[in-house]
Amino acid sequence: MSVMWRLADGGLIDRTKPVRFRFDGQAMTGYAGDTLASALLANGVRLFGRSFKYHRPRGLLSAGVEEPSALVGAGVGGRFEPNTRATDLFLYDGLDAVSQNRWPSLSFDAMAVNQLIAPFIPAGFYYKTFLGPPSLWKLYEHAIRAAAGLGKPPQLPDADAYERRAAFCDVLVVGAGPAGLSAALAAARSGARVAVCDLDARPGGSLLGDPATIADQSSTDWIASAIAELEALGARLLFRTTAFGFYDHNMVYLAERVTEPGAKPTSGDIAQRMWRMRAGAVVLAQGAIERPLPFAENDRPGVMLAGAARTYVNRFAVKPGSSAVVATSADDAYGAAFSLDKAGVKIAGIADLRSEDEISPAILRRARERFEVVTGAHPRAALVGSGRAKGLEVLVDGRARTFEADLIAVSGGLNPSVHLHMQAGGGLDWNPRRGVFTPVSPRQGQLSAGACAGHTILSDVVADGWRAGLEAASRLGFSAAAGAAPVVLSEPLDAGVCAFAPAPGAHLKTVFVDPQNDVTMSDLDLAWREGYRSVEHMKRYTTLGMATDQGKTSNLMGLARLALNEGRPAPDVGLTTFRPPFTPTTLGLWVGEDAGFHVTPLRRAPLYEQHAAHNPPWQAVGYWRRPRAYIRPGETLATAALREAKTVRERVGITDVSTLGKFEVSGPDAAALLEKVLATSVSKLAVGRGRYTFMLREDGFVNDDGTVWRTGETRFLLTSSTGGADRMAQLLSYVRNVLYPELKVGVANVQEHYAAVAVAGPKAREVIAKLFEGADPPRHMSSARGSMAGVPALILAASYSGERAFEVYVASHSAPGVWAALEAASADLGGCAYGLEALEILRVEKGHVETGGEIDGRTSAHDLCLEKMLNPRGGYMGALAQTRPAFSDPNRLQFVGIESLGGPIPEGGMLVERPGFAVQGHVTAAGVRVLEPGYVGLALLRGGRAREGEELMAHSPTRTMTARVRVCSPVFHDPAGERYRD
Amino acid sequence: MMLIPCPYCGPRAQSEFTFDRPVEAITRPDGSAPELIRNLFTRDNPKGPSRELWRHTYGCRSWITLTRDTVTHEISDVTPVGASQ
Amino acid sequence: MKYSAFNLFREGLAGHKGWPQAWRDPEPKSHYDIVVIGGGGHGLTTAYYLASLHGVNKVAVLERSWIGGGNTGRNTTIVRSNYRQPELHALMELSLKRWEGMSDEINYNVMFSQRGALFLGHSDSDMLQLAQKGDAMRADGIDAELMTRDQVAKLIPLLDVSPTARYPVQGGLIQRRGGTARHDAVAWGYARAADRLGVDIIQQCEVMGIDMVGGRATGVRTTRGVIGADKIAICVAGHSGRVAAMAGLRLPVESHLLQAFVSEPVKPMIDTVIMTQSLHCYISQSDKGEIVLGGDPDAYPTYSQRGAPHIIEKAAAEALALVPSLSRLRMLRSWAGTTDMSFDGSPIIDRTPVDGLYLNGGWCYGGFKATPGSGFLYAHLLATGESHPVAAPFRLDRFETGHTIDEPGVGPMPQNR
């Protein structure tokens, strides 16, 4: 069987390299250079898939990415790629391909029963029925979703990796067909750095299916010498690479198919590579896509684009049928007839829509030497046998006539591919005779050349490519002598007439416009009758052009039908927008090396390894991970945290606070700058002293808090929370550079420069005294410089926990040694390391507000009981905005403490009088008393500052947890601050 | 992917920059409350050329003002901002 | 003709020649009681509720191109009311309740699928935030349920719940009544329903100016003539600022851009709407089988509806980190909409300082779910002159007074949302 369809010689396949593959479980062979489509054709396969809605049998329409019907799943497991076009998959050994959207098999698909109810399920039928309550819709939907979709979803993570690269060139040429290669040669010879990409596996474009003579050479030879010259001139040549997105300022995204769908990568582990190509100028030589013809049953296996039929013969050495009728409205398809004839396909005739005088005489004469050519022939219906095409009925002068053939090669002319031109931004010109749009008014100066600019004769195509390449290069200043354009002698060819209307009497219900989504001419007419008359409404209502082929062979026919119904010319009716991607692009390719664990960076603080050695549970804080507790055997997270907190209150604990924001602000105007950023004053701070501080956002709400220390006459160190550090850095930079550039001050973000360890507890001073050299441990809210464990250290005495505490700042790379020393010294005194959970317990008991908790971006200084610290001189960020009336509303959510009158308080729970009553606030943090039993918490409560003593419920319906609480001061531990004050 | 000409680094991809605000929204905190409220909380929001403040955050981190068309994304008149000039 | 299975069957036998136009294509009259500028979902529901609930049908909806062509036709179709701030969940819940009866009420199947809207939590602190949101919702009578990791894994088998993931899943908060709907159908359905009640829907009619007499808005100048109106209701998210400027107003709104994309269709793979507390991507599967994905906004003002690709790269990376088997699916389409970014992230439904001129806008990227609620509330304001209590907090002057409603608490700059 396969011998019969494969031609004995010819084609661009490598007959020395047979390739074994499977299709629907059946073993077959092909050759290197075959696509899956050509190999299947060679094996006699004619049924390739089933359509989306009606499950009608589908054959092969094309030989390219415009293929709507021949979709397969390729590969297995973590390489499985559903919805793969058989025409866009080059054969490889071991390929395992399966057809889709059919059960139990392609030849017997139970869902084909949908064809019986076709009259009742036209476009948009689901909007008119399945009404009723949403619960009923869920039932219908379950069936609809099971029937919808085409390929099976992959079940496993991707087995392979993807790579993304940036690249730059002077001239990017999209397409390596005759126009593209000419353009590339012209530009490269002019001296420009050229990059050429083509989605095919080899250069040549249309010449691969339609060989010709260029510059006195065969096209094969000309292509080879062009490539050799381009390589010698240093051009970057990317094959199997699709330019899919044209973005702002000549950024073009390319997808390089390093490994065929479903195949195991051979070069490294890369499945595909994305190129972010920034070009000085772009030449678009994407070619043109052939259009099918509208007639009844035009979706049947056996109906194929004429150019594709020619390509299968000339490039792949396969006969797509045993007998053929060519139905066309343009000269180009005659070439298909000649090629098929030469390959031994019996030509039943050529049915040409045009009148005799519209056809090029030379072509017509040559054709009539071999076959019957009927002019003025309007195809009306394919004749069907066993579900497939077996002939074509045409109308000539109102009389029907049939051609018997198992291959109906159709051509409605060639559509210039304007996709990238339109993505880049541009206009379109309408050619009413041909019924095509050609690119004009390029917004980014992109140059369209060759068939995609509307040319159809090879000599024009090559000349146009040459012109575009020269222009692109010279625009960038490259004008070295490029020589003369390649000479091509072409006979005149008529580009054809548009053929959007089916013949009178054609059964519109089977004139398919979008064969994948089963959108017929009668669907388009129904949409128009119902008032869906803009092109977008028509598209969305009928789903025309929304299939995986993105309407490449159907959009224009739909537009033309709409124009006909509207009684207006096509360009007036409008066009749907062209957006990336030009062909569907693998999601893994968009992700590249940011896959899996690398989706966001992981920032490791200097002491990460020290913590990791204890295998702690981690807390994600932005991109950082901080240890929650150092759990000992027999402990849970909660018991470990309580133990650590107790240790801090009773003896001493050390904790890593390296991730806090830290900024050095220095210069004569340092204090002035800080008083514009901070809501508190700093100018009164003596050298060596520090204070608690906080910052407002421009709109007056509290942004973050921290501490500020005067470490020199004109030098300050500012700290902020970990979570707010990046915001703080941006704010400082904005205020300093944009608002007050005249100030004499420098700001350095030293967050990563310093590691910091907090030592807290009654014995903290002892620990510091033991290790700190060169100075005494500083008093509360003072700083001191000295050294520790042999490295310079700055110590800030501030307390977050409520115990006497010291923060030790050292250069990051010195941190491990200092940590080890502090760990040992505190262990000697019965202390331990503590993590974020203990830190939280301690700060809750002490009533400290926290960014992310009480500082939630909606609370003001007054809400948080910080108003007394506001700088009375004003002039700081947020000062003006907090004068707005809402800020003095007494019923605002205000910071309070809550103590439980019973069990644990649900953190995040709502504060209510009773469950079911109005919400009056919420619990921002829940904790325990450390040294005695009892549950406490912090909260935001409406008018809370005036409600001390009130009893409420903290209620969590989602966790079925409720606690009776009393509103109180938030400072539960040592309200007078005696434990750390001097 | 707009190409933004940083005065220090040359033309760089927009992914290296962050937009901050239109220039009309830049207000010092030591002005008047009505002025702040107008500048911070209302916008001209032009459909066309707009004078904007951007930062080369993932590059040299400098601040720049530029004119950008909010429809065509054409960029012109890029000026550095800040103390370093 | 009523839409029903019976009529579908009957028409099927007759070649579907009997279906009338879904909405008329009338010439604009010279005067209306109320002119709604903007034929998106919000404008169309407003017109419908004016006619159906308030008996006001001398109403025109003016749409500069084709109805539903703005953000109604560009969103990712998620419907939910799971917001933390009480003003917002009250607003969205009022809307969600109207979704539940919508198809029947307007006799057009909008395919509202209550398959659940799930927020994933990736840490204990995420789970606490989700519990707080859930508690706030439940306290106000809205459904919300915490889920454990195992429950989430059972609901979405293809989710990566392994503890070594970059963002390990710890559980989630689900609103089972949330889900998705067919966005175009909402526009078409309400257009048809409003039209049947006598509302004029006028497409290809762009408002070029607002006529004012003595400080009062009296009509609009359009590409299809001058139209007088007692009340003019702006409803043009993305272009609120442009239209308001015609009456000399500056708004607390900046136009930004949000992208989204879909994959080629596959058989059922994801049954729930997936969102996440820590990441910004969201994932669902349409009834056609396409996986619908979105992520961060582009973060600068633009009317171009053309997004930058690195934003898509990030959204895809986050989605694939959650559902790794998405990797081999292919992006089929990408698009973008112009979002009306308000300066607290919450909408504006209010009269304006100009007499006779009203504003419904500032929906940022959360407008689709609010479609019926927004129209209901706007119609109430237009018809009665008073804000409905649920709409009252969404005043235009709240930025001046400081009564902002900021769900994530990130402040006024739109690019920080």
Side-chain angles (χ1 to χ4, degrees), chain A residues 909-965:
Chain A
M910 297 296 113
L911 290 174
V912 293
E913 198 183 306
R914 279 205 296 286
F917 280 50
V919 171
Q920 300 186 43
H922 61 275
V923 179
T924 57
V928 295
R929 292 184 189 273
V930 177
L931 298 178
E932 58 207 12
Y935 297 97
V936 297
L938 304 174
L940 289 169
L941 177 67
R942 296 222 168 274
R945 293 174 70 151
R947 297 172 72 168
E948 198 164 318
E950 245 185 77
E951 282 182 22
L952 293 166
M953 312 218 48
H955 181 52
S956 173
T958 58
R959 290 164 289 180
T960 328
M961 225 175 128
T962 308
R964 192 140 195 86
V965 299

Side-chain angles (χ1 to χ4, degrees), chain A residues 3-255:
Chain A
V3 175
M4 202 174 104
W5 301 108
R6 179 77 75 182
L7 300 176
D9 49 30
L12 299 172
I13 50 175
D14 186 347
R15 293 171 198 266
T16 69
K17 295 197 174 99
V19 176
R20 286 183 307 272
F21 68 100
R22 302 182 83 80
F23 178 61
D24 277 351
Q26 205 189 335
M28 299 182 186
T29 56
Y31 294 108
D34 261 331
T35 58
L36 174 60
S38 62
L40 286 173
L41 276 181
N43 277 274
V45 174
R46 292 293 178 266
L47 185 56
F48 283 73
R50 291 273 174 177
S51 66
F52 182 70
K53 185 166 54 164
Y54 301 132
H55 289 253
R56 283 168 70 100
R58 287 276 175 274
L60 197 54
L61 182 69
S62 75
V65 296
E66 66 270 28
E67 178 58 38
S69 300
L71 303 182
V72 304
V76 294
R79 300 200 165 97
F80 177 67
E81 290 191 37
N83 301 327
T84 302
R85 279 161 282 278
T87 51
D88 191 23
L89 189 168
F90 284 90
L91 215 60
Y92 56 89
D93 233 18
L95 164 64
D96 197 341
V98 294
S99 58
Q100 304 188 144
N101 199 37
R102 80 295 183 270
W103 182 85
S105 73
L106 199 47
S107 44
F108 180 76
D109 181 5
M111 289 298 282
V113 70
N114 283 356
Q115 292 172 64
L116 295 175
I117 56 166
F120 309 105
I121 55 171
F125 77 94
Y126 31 76
Y127 299 123
K128 300 187 168 87
T129 181
F130 302 128
L131 297 164
S135 49
L136 205 53
W137 169 247
K138 273 195 98 166
L139 281 173
Y140 298 134
E141 192 190 28
H142 189 76
I144 288 173
R145 284 168 80 84
L150 291 167
K152 287 211 174 75
Q155 299 293 317
L156 296 178
D158 209 308
D160 302 320
Y162 300 80
E163 188 182 275
R164 297 175 302 184
R165 292 182 59 175
F168 304 87
C169 65
D170 295 320
V171 179
L172 171 67
V173 179
V174 177
L181 288 174
S182 304
L185 282 171
R189 288 185 193 169
S190 300
R193 247 183 339 160
V194 170
V196 184
C197 67
D198 194 299
L199 51 77
D200 206 327
R202 55 194 299 166
S206 58
L207 296 170
L208 297 172
D210 187 14
T213 303
I214 301 183
D216 292 323
Q217 300 170 286
S218 72
S219 46
T220 312
D221 287 346
W222 179 77
I223 293 165
S225 72
I227 294 296
E229 185 181 346
L230 285 168
E231 277 170 348
L233 289 169
R236 188 196 293 272
L237 303 172
L238 295 167
F239 299 116
R240 208 72 182 101
T241 302
T242 309
F244 64 86
F246 200 138
Y247 298 99
D248 280 336
H249 304 177
N250 282 348
M251 169 65 84
V252 182
Y253 268 38
L254 317 177

Side-chain angles (χ1 to χ4, degrees), chain B residues 2-80:
Chain B
M2 292 183 281
L3 204 55
I4 300 179
C6 172
Y8 303 102
C9 307
R12 305 292 301 177
Q14 88 186 62
S15 49
E16 294 184 7
F17 296 80
T18 46
F19 164 81
D20 194 81
R21 66 188 69 200
V23 162
E24 61 164 0
I26 297 173
T27 331
R28 291 195 177 196
D30 48 18
S32 76
E35 194 193 326
L36 175 96
I37 287 168
R38 182 185 193 271
N39 289 350
L40 194 60
F41 294 117
T42 66
R43 288 284 188 274
D44 193 25
N45 198 19
K47 188 172 181 180
S50 176
R51 192 86 193 136
E52 300 177 332
L53 175 70
W54 286 71
R55 189 180 189 200
H56 194 187
T57 308
Y58 301 104
C60 65
R61 302 176 71 73
S62 64
W63 294 86
I64 57 178
T65 51
L66 47 80
T67 301
R68 185 180 64 96
D69 189 301
T70 59
V71 179
T72 66
H73 293 176
E74 201 185 306
I75 292 177
S76 60
D77 293 325
V78 185
T79 332

